[in-house]
Amino acid sequence: SPHLSVTNYEKIRTKLLGKNDVISINRKSSWTNYIGWGAAAVFVIGFGLQYFKLDESKTTIDKLATEKSLMQESIVDLEFEKQEAEKVLAIVRDNNNIQVALGGQEVAPNAYAKAYYNKETNEVYIDASGLPNPPEGKVYQVWGLKLDPLTPQSIGLLDNFTANNSKVFKVDKADGAEAFGITLEPAGGSVSPTLEQLYTLGKV
């Protein structure tokens, strides 16, 4: 560039310096920050609600699964009870079965039972719904009797008495029985009947 005089240099310098004024920077308005924080809060709340709903759904599913399991157990129980009822009805309605009423004896005057006896097959079913639950450590024992001379024959125990809802028990066959009796015996049964604990007795 050509040589500048001091005067011209100063003029140019002054003009250049005058153009370098400080430029003020306007800050962005604070509401944009609020929008950002608000969006974050909405996200956090929404995530929390979704987690709560998910947890609630899992609880509902677990509850429904438990109810379904209980319902299935109830259906099985009802089916079992239905089969038991049908079996009892079949026994009662079988014309080949003789119904023998067993009346209460001195030790239990209000007790009663029924024996369903098939003379052709010698099969015996006992309806023990009229007997009280046996004490702990005791069991009812059924006897087939021949009367002349009096000969008792054990034809079975009424095990699991409390658990049997129908109170109908199939016992052993009784060949030529002329009467049936039920005594209360120690758990496991006895070789001969305890006559002092004779609960019911009935003649064919």
Side-chain angles (χ1 to χ4, degrees):
S1 61
H3 178 74
L4 295 176
S5 64
V6 174
T7 303
N8 288 335
Y9 175 79
E10 288 297 329
K11 286 180 180 179
I12 293 171
R13 183 172 178 276
T14 301
K15 286 185 177 182
L16 287 173
L17 290 176
K19 289 183 178 181
N20 289 336
D21 295 335
V22 177
I23 300 173
S24 61
I25 299 174
N26 294 327
R27 291 175 175 267
K28 292 183 179 180
S29 58
S30 59
W31 64 271
T32 56
N33 293 332
Y34 294 145
I35 290 175
W37 283 110
V42 169
F43 175 78
V44 171
I45 292 171
F47 181 79
L49 287 174
Q50 290 298 323
Y51 181 81
F52 175 77
K53 288 182 178 178
L54 178 62
D55 187 63
E56 194 176 45
S57 298
K58 287 181 178 178
T59 302
T60 303
I61 290 171
D62 291 341
K63 184 179 178 182
L64 289 174
T66 302
E67 290 177 354
K68 180 182 177 182
S69 178
L70 291 173
M71 189 175 294
Q72 288 175 337
E73 290 178 6
S74 298
I75 291 172
V76 171
D77 291 340
L78 288 172
E79 183 63 28
F80 179 75
E81 289 177 6
K82 178 185 174 185
Q83 291 175 359
E84 287 293 304
E86 289 175 348
K87 183 173 72 174
V88 171
L89 283 174
I91 295 167
V92 172
R93 291 172 177 172
D94 190 342
N95 292 327
N96 294 320
N97 288 334
I98 300 171
Q99 180 178 309
V100 182
L102 309 181
Q105 301 301 298
E106 185 177 354
V107 69
N110 296 325
Y112 63 90
K114 293 176 184 177
Y116 293 92
Y117 179 40
N118 189 318
K119 284 190 172 183
E120 294 180 2
T121 62
N122 294 321
E123 290 184 339
V124 181
Y125 291 87
I126 299 295
D127 177 1
S129 56
L131 295 176
N133 289 334
E136 188 175 352
K138 297 286 186 177
V139 65
Y140 288 116
Q141 189 165 357
V142 184
W143 306 87
L145 306 172
K146 290 186 179 180
L147 300 178
D148 190 20
L150 183 60
T151 308
Q153 176 192 359
S154 175
I155 57 173
L157 305 176
L158 306 185
D159 287 321
N160 300 319
F161 190 88
T162 305
N164 188 327
N165 293 325
S166 69
K167 294 294 184 287
V168 174
F169 300 83
K170 183 178 182 180
V171 291
D172 297 336
K173 293 182 178 182
D175 186 11
E178 297 174 333
F180 294 98
I182 300 176
T183 59
L184 186 67
E185 304 290 345
S190 300
V191 177
S192 58
T194 305
L195 297 180
E196 295 82 4
Q197 293 296 318
L198 180 63
Y199 270 64
T200 62
L201 181 65
K203 187 177 179 182
V204 176

